[in-house]
Amino acid sequence: MEYNIVLLVLIAINIIVSIKGFDDHFFFRKYQFHIGSIRSGEQYRMITSGFLHADIPHLAFNMIALFSFAGVVTQLLGTFSFVTIYFASLVFGSLLTVYFHKNDYSYSAVGASGAVTGIIYSAILLVPNLPINIMFIPIDIPGYIFGILYLLYSIYGMRAKNDNIGHTAHIGGAIGGYVFTLIKVPTLFMDNPFIVIGLAIPIAIMFVMAKQGKL
């Protein structure tokens, strides 16, 4: 019951803040992720932007994904760890985005995708074979395969820069979920070493490509 209340509160905050942003342009601009404003001292945007969304489909997609995976994390790690991973992933997503876009002062973004991706990655670490169903694909995909493919796609999106999706925040969020889940359950290194290593491969690829100047 506690988990349901905490999850519902998080979802409610996202809905309320997002709807406020839909109707109030000034509110949206004040709290969205914006590199120029963050670098001038408004670091609060790194958190507040995670509760704003561009439109109803964007909001709905993130909240459905959060609702779908939150139960695994909460049941296995507890409510406090779930909340910790959620906000840590949100922050990691924002920090990585600042790192990669620090010189693009006009870059802006909104959405809970970083936090939600962290929860998804945490759930996959905890239950590697968690069945995941993707629209238009008639079979379930094991969680660890989905996690690896999703981050590889995010790396492609970072490199291609041909859409308005915050791929960098997704990867940063996944890193947050990955790191904090392993801190909470270090036995995963011994219990599922291949899964732990496999899920780290896309993250390692991203850093190598960044070092080589390919992102």
Side-chain angles (χ1 to χ4, degrees):
M1 180 63 70
E2 181 186 6
Y3 132 70
N4 288 327
I5 293 173
V6 171
L7 175 60
L8 291 177
V9 167
L10 270 178
I11 292 175
I13 294 172
N14 273 279
I15 292 173
I16 292 169
V17 173
S18 294
I19 291 176
K20 171 68 174 174
F22 295 158
D23 297 329
D24 188 333
H25 186 73
F26 176 79
F27 178 86
F28 187 91
R29 293 296 184 189
K30 180 176 176 61
Y31 294 108
Q32 71 176 154
F33 185 98
H34 182 260
I35 289 292
S37 300
I38 290 171
R39 294 200 62 179
S40 69
E42 297 180 358
Q43 283 81 16
Y44 65 84
R45 291 172 179 264
M46 298 172 67
I47 301 294
T48 58
S49 60
F51 293 92
L52 287 167
H53 289 82
D55 49 39
I56 290 178
H58 184 208
L59 171 64
F61 181 84
N62 275 336
M63 294 305 98
I64 290 172
L66 176 61
F67 186 85
S68 299
F69 291 91
V72 173
V73 179
T74 306
Q75 290 168 17
L76 295 179
L77 299 184
T79 301
F80 179 78
S81 292
F82 162 70
V83 174
T84 300
I85 291 170
Y86 182 92
F87 281 98
S89 300
L90 173 56
V91 171
F92 269 59
S94 292
L95 287 173
L96 195 67
T97 304
V98 168
Y99 175 78
F100 276 99
H101 296 277
K102 58 182 176 292
N103 295 319
D104 183 359
Y105 282 72
S106 64
Y107 183 89
S108 62
V110 292
S113 300
V116 173
T117 303
I119 294 299
I120 293 173
Y121 229 62
S122 176
I124 290 170
L125 261 178
L126 295 167
V127 186
N129 288 311
L130 185 70
I132 296 178
N133 181 266
I134 302 175
M135 193 179 300
F136 306 124
I137 297 180
I139 60 173
D140 290 334
I141 299 175
Y144 69 94
I145 294 177
F146 170 82
I148 293 171
L149 293 178
Y150 182 69
L151 285 202
L152 290 175
Y153 167 72
S154 295
I155 293 170
Y156 166 78
M158 286 178 65
R159 180 172 171 79
K161 298 181 175 66
N162 58 3
D163 56 36
N164 292 319
I165 299 173
H167 296 288
T168 311
H170 294 175
I171 296 177
I175 293 172
Y178 180 87
V179 169
F180 277 81
T181 301
L182 290 175
I183 290 174
K184 182 67 177 179
V185 192
T187 54
L188 288 171
F189 284 107
M190 298 297 295
D191 296 338
N192 292 304
F194 293 110
I195 296 298
V196 172
I197 294 171
L199 290 173
I201 288 174
I203 298 171
I205 291 173
M206 187 269 299
F207 281 112
V208 170
M209 291 181 68
K211 186 175 180 61
Q212 295 175 344
K214 295 180 179 180
L215 292 178

